[in-house]
Amino acid sequence: MRLSRYFLPVLKENPSEAQIVSHRYMLRAGMIKQSAAGIYSWLPLGYRVLKNIEKIVHEEQIRAGHIPMLMPTLQSADLWRESGRYDDYGQEMLRISDRHGRDMLYGPTNEELITDIFRSHVGSYKDLPLTLYHIQWKFRDEIRPRFGVMRGREFLMKDGYNFDLTKEDALHAYNRHLVSYLRSYERMGLQAIPMRADGGPIGGDYTHEFLVLAETGESEVFYDSEITDLKFGDRAIDYDSVEQCQAVLEEFTSRYARTDETHDEAIFAEVPEARRRVARGIEVGQIFYFGTKYSEPMGATVVNEKQDQVPVHMGSHGIGVSRLLGAIIEASHDDKGIIWPEGVTPFHVGIVNLKQGDEEADAACEALYKSFTALGLEPLYDDRNERAGAKFATMDLIGLPWRITVGPRGLKNGVVELTSRRTGESEELAPEAAVEKVAQIYAGL
């Protein structure tokens, strides 16, 4: 993409309504625009990152054996009356009526709808286990939406639902989701700690939230510092192996890590004092096992081996896809702007032409642009007739991990400058060597 042809409405000043770093930088970098309180239009740069995060989530869900689908945003209130949640959910639910007077709602979650789909098409234990998921827009009418996409009313979420014959099978699905979430977050450059949490309106006794540590987090968290040394890495996991998935669960949840709703001071005191930490965290996902909470009242049953009709055991598992943009920025920024991890960056590399109109500089930038494109990488070429300082400021603000600077002086020596946004370190390389180095970085992802 050439910046002269791109829609990137950057702001020089900090918006007064933005209280936290992620909201401030998302507005300044032209990623979002508020449409109404807690509701945003996703502008091209923000949309690119959103789609990259969504792609990682899809890939890791499919790797774990989960099946993608798509459910509607509007749901019938009758389904929620069946489960008993229609009146219990509270004012966060947006309730509406269609032109025929039928009660509808804008879905805050999809347990009822997916259970209805399941009971309509599955009747035998031979069709289990089954996990279906989708990535869809949700709406929860927050009384005080704030912090941009971190606590909006409309948000994009991955929610998945497992159906299993027994509790043991369902807990394996729970563990499988935990593993897939750890992989997903690490690919996004995040360390998301699984913490014992409260079931809330979803219900269930088994539940973990995944939290990213950040000063602006909405939750107070308590944890053993040893947990921050854990990395999932690129280890191979057989998702069908109960033992392997259980081992990962135990590795990542055996140390103390809880949100404020489930914090137990007596148990926390057993952690060596030097390792006790109190901080704030941003929730970016949650997994639940809730047994037959929905299947029993809604008649989601199967025939087992003994030909008995039994309710299936269920769980639900969510990742806040749009919220993750804010969490990544909160965890990865400096006073100049965003620092995108390579796994989610909107463009792989920025190309800055220090002297637009110079024949040699223009030709070198065009050659770099074509080289990256031929390799399947997406460069953002700042070909505007702007001063160098303004170009650097834009690149720093939007946070591309790598920048190649091209100028007449360097080209006389046969080199361009490759700069890491995260470290600020630069090196002079031949243009072909700079392309090769950037390509190798992304080849490992």
Side-chain angles (χ1 to χ4, degrees):
M1 179 58 66
R2 300 170 193 273
L3 197 47
S4 62
R5 301 179 188 176
Y6 199 53
F7 181 60
L8 187 68
V10 298
L11 305 175
K12 292 183 179 179
E13 303 298 327
N14 288 326
S16 58
E17 71 269 27
Q19 297 175 297
I20 62 172
V21 168
S22 58
H23 191 194
R24 184 161 65 244
Y25 281 154
M26 289 185 77
L27 290 171
R28 284 196 55 204
M31 299 179 71
I32 56 172
K33 184 183 184 303
Q34 182 169 300
S35 172
I39 302 173
Y40 293 88
S41 294
W42 289 81
L43 306 185
L45 192 74
Y47 184 63
R48 288 181 75 94
V49 182
L50 190 70
K51 297 304 287 185
N52 288 340
I53 290 173
E54 186 177 348
K55 180 175 180 286
I56 289 173
V57 173
H58 271 304
E59 289 174 352
E60 293 304 330
Q61 287 302 297
I62 292 169
R63 186 200 297 262
H66 307 157
I67 304 169
M69 59 177 296
L70 185 63
M71 289 176 274
T73 56
L74 293 181
Q75 302 180 32
S76 167
D78 290 341
L79 288 174
W80 285 65
R81 290 190 176 106
E82 270 192 72
S83 71
R85 279 208 304 175
Y86 185 69
D87 294 321
D88 293 344
Y89 207 89
Q91 292 185 327
E92 281 191 359
M93 182 188 288
L94 182 63
R95 295 166 169 85
I96 55 179
S97 298
D98 67 13
R99 67 191 300 166
H100 302 290
R102 291 180 290 236
D103 291 334
M104 308 286 287
L105 58 97
Y106 194 123
T109 184
N110 283 69
E111 282 81 6
E112 285 80 2
L113 193 56
I114 195 69
T115 304
D116 181 55
I117 292 169
F118 177 88
R119 70 184 178 184
S120 300
H121 299 287
V122 180
S124 169
Y125 75 98
K126 295 178 181 179
D127 296 320
L128 303 180
L130 179 66
T131 295
L132 302 170
Y133 81 92
H134 73 155
I135 297 177
Q136 177 62 291
W137 291 97
K138 304 286 191 293
F139 189 92
R140 294 177 188 168
D141 201 1
E142 292 272 356
I143 189 170
R144 191 159 67 96
R146 56 195 176 123
F147 302 156
V149 301
M150 298 288 288
R151 186 172 287 184
R153 293 193 294 166
E154 185 184 58
F155 54 94
L156 188 63
M157 188 171 86
K158 171 262 159 181
D159 45 319
Y161 305 89
N162 66 281
F163 300 88
D164 290 278
L165 184 62
T166 66
K167 179 178 180 179
E168 291 72 28
D169 293 341
L171 289 179
H172 174 55
Y174 184 95
N175 296 351
R176 196 171 62 237
H177 279 87
L178 181 135
V179 174
S180 67
Y181 280 23
L182 290 172
R183 287 186 59 95
S184 299
Y185 296 129
E186 287 193 13
R187 285 185 61 186
M188 297 172 200
L190 288 173
Q191 182 177 44
I193 302 171
M195 299 193 177
R196 186 170 174 180
D198 180 69
I202 304 292
D205 297 326
Y206 292 79
T207 178
H208 282 86
E209 284 181 359
F210 292 79
L211 289 106
V212 174
L213 300 177
E215 292 179 2
T216 50
E218 71 270 60
S219 302
E220 190 172 33
V221 296
F222 305 81
Y223 63 96
D224 181 337
S225 64
E226 278 193 348
I227 202 167
T228 58
D229 297 327
L230 298 177
K231 297 288 186 294
F232 188 84
D234 59 359
R235 67 180 87 173
I237 289 288
D238 178 1
Y239 281 103
D240 291 329
S241 169
V242 172
E243 294 77 16
Q244 288 187 33
C245 292
Q246 179 67 24
V248 174
L249 173 92
E250 291 173 0
E251 177 185 353
F252 281 84
T253 64
S254 59
R255 295 163 183 83
Y256 192 94
R258 297 194 181 193
T259 61
D260 49 4
E261 293 108 331
T262 60
H263 175 57
D264 187 316
E265 195 62 46
I267 300 175
F268 190 48
E270 297 174 7
V271 177
E273 187 174 359
R275 302 203 320 250
R276 283 182 229 151
R277 298 287 187 274
V278 181
R280 302 202 71 79
I282 299 167
E283 182 198 342
V284 291
Q286 190 163 2
I287 56 177
F288 302 84
Y289 161 73
F290 42 66
T292 59
K293 175 181 171 67
Y294 298 93
S295 56
E296 281 197 88
M298 296 186 69
T301 62
V302 295
V303 174
N304 66 13
E305 289 180 289
K306 298 178 180 179
Q307 299 303 301
D308 296 325
Q309 201 84 22
V310 295
V312 292
H313 287 255
M314 293 176 59
S316 68
H317 316 275
I319 287 181
V321 175
S322 53
R323 167 179 272 239
L324 272 164
L325 273 85
I328 291 169
I329 294 171
E330 292 293 332
S332 185
H333 69 270
D334 60 18
D335 58 2
K336 295 179 182 178
I338 302 164
I339 305 174
W340 290 117
E342 281 85 356
V344 300
T345 181
F347 295 95
H348 297 105
V349 61
I351 302 172
V352 172
N353 189 339
L354 292 181
K355 195 170 184 181
Q356 199 71 38
D358 179 87
E359 186 175 343
E360 191 177 4
D362 289 356
C365 288
E366 289 292 340
L368 286 166
Y369 188 88
K370 289 178 181 178
S371 295
F372 281 118
T373 303
L375 291 169
L377 297 176
E378 296 182 283
L380 179 63
Y381 173 23
D382 192 343
D383 60 341
R384 300 172 301 162
N385 191 21
E386 287 274 1
R387 58 186 177 82
K391 291 187 175 187
F392 289 145
T394 298
M395 285 292 176
D396 285 342
L397 175 62
I398 66 175
L400 307 186
W402 297 95
R403 184 187 77 222
I404 295 180
T405 306
V406 180
R409 184 180 302 175
L411 290 174
K412 286 180 181 178
N413 298 319
V415 298
V416 295
E417 186 178 66
L418 178 63
T419 303
S420 164
R421 175 70 180 88
R422 184 167 300 281
T423 67
E425 295 176 358
S426 297
E427 61 179 319
E428 292 186 337
L429 298 166
E432 299 81 6
V435 171
E436 183 179 354
K437 181 166 183 176
V438 172
Q440 287 177 348
I441 290 166
Y442 286 102
L445 297 181

